[in-house]
């Protein structure tokens, strides 16, 4: 089941919240900063333990990593790294789609029954909001339709009313 809400993802008592991280995966601004602030220092320490796949990269763009949520009401944080938007012709749509697919798969693998997504890549990474929402909705619908996808509650947690409108248009 898919829900759209407007709010701060760090307040959601769901099994997993998704963090729009960067490849270093040690925090940042935007929702990444909010999640690290709310989760506390232990989240930083848990991220440090995630092995680097190459120098300075713990989570390559499009992939996802899971840590506990620590002080967050959410049980887990699934960190995923969206593409930096250039012009849409450099694999950005595919990478953004992979963020949703890989985060959902990781949530399912960890027995999550509810997961909340921010609008990945649409802030500092500059992805056009409407385009990104289309990709997000498509990937979530495909995942939930797949026969082996346990009924999972997927929440699009939008920070702004404008984002809510983009998703409502797609889901109406
Ligand atoms: N709850 C929900 N959504 C939020 C919150 C919050 N507390 N704070 C910000 N957002 C929204 C933004 O409004 C935007 O719609 O999250 C979306 C993603 O924006 P960013 O956080 O800027 O993430 P992104 O565009 O993916 O850029 C990632 O920013 O914070 C750094 O370390 C991060 O380098 C990485 C980059």
């Amino acid at each position: 089941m898919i829900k759209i809400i407007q709010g701060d993802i760090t307040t959601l008592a769901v099994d997993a919240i998704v963090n729009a991280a960067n490849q270093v995966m040690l925090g940042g601004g935007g929702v990444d900063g909010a999640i690290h602030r709310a989760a506390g220092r232990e989240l930083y320490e848990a991220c440090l333990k995630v092995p680097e796949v190459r120098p300075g990269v713990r989570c390559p763009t499009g992939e996802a990593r899971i840590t506990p949520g620590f002080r967050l009401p959410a049980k887990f944080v699934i960190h995923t790294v969206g593409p930096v938007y250039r012009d849409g012709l450099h694999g950005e749509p595919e990478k953004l789609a992979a963020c949703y697919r890989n985060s959902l798969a990781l949530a399912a693998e960890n027995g999550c029954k509810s997961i909340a997504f921010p609008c990945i890549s649409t802030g500092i990474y500059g992805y056009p909001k409407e385009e990104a929402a289309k990709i997000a909705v498509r990937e979530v619908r495909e995942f939930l339709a797949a026969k082996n996808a346990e009924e999972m509650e997927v929440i699009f947690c939008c920070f702004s009313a404008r984002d809510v409108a983009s998703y409502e248009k797609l889901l109406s």
Side-chain angles (χ1 to χ4, degrees):
M1 175 239 293
I2 299 177
K3 274 166 68 176
I4 308 165
I5 63 166
Q6 182 177 352
D8 174 352
I9 202 166
T10 64
T11 66
L12 302 183
V14 287
D15 286 344
I17 60 168
V18 177
N19 180 21
N22 58 51
Q23 296 192 109
V24 180
M25 230 188 96
L26 294 177
V31 71
D32 195 5
I35 287 173
H36 274 270
R37 271 193 304 279
R41 173 119 192 110
E42 291 159 298
L43 180 59
Y44 176 81
E45 280 149 18
C47 289
L48 265 181
K49 290 192 193 105
V50 174
E52 291 185 320
V53 292
R54 52 183 182 276
V57 176
R58 286 183 179 77
C59 186
T61 301
E63 293 190 18
R65 300 288 188 271
I66 193 165
T67 64
F70 299 110
R71 297 206 185 123
L72 287 162
K75 223 164 116 198
F76 296 109
V77 179
I78 291 178
H79 308 259
T80 192
V81 180
V84 175
Y85 189 79
R86 289 172 59 184
D87 53 13
L89 304 174
H90 289 77
E92 302 98 314
E94 294 73 21
K95 287 289 181 196
L96 186 60
C99 285
Y100 285 91
R101 267 201 314 278
N102 290 325
S103 298
L104 288 162
L106 201 47
E109 280 161 37
N110 285 274
C112 297
K113 293 282 174 271
S114 55
I115 181 171
F117 284 97
C119 304
I120 301 167
S121 278
T122 67
I124 294 166
Y125 281 1
Y127 213 109
K129 290 174 174 295
E130 285 69 19
E131 267 315 297
K134 251 187 237 155
I135 292 169
V137 168
R138 186 195 70 213
E139 290 304 322
V140 167
R141 277 182 164 150
E142 273 177 25
F143 176 84
L144 292 178
K147 58 188 179 319
N148 59 354
E150 298 278 305
E151 191 37 44
M152 194 190 278
E153 180 187 51
V154 181
I155 299 167
F156 288 116
C157 180
C158 301
F159 213 36
S160 73
R162 184 179 157 206
D163 285 322
V164 170
S166 312
Y167 280 88
E168 278 176 346
K169 214 164 48 191
L170 292 164
L171 288 167
S172 56

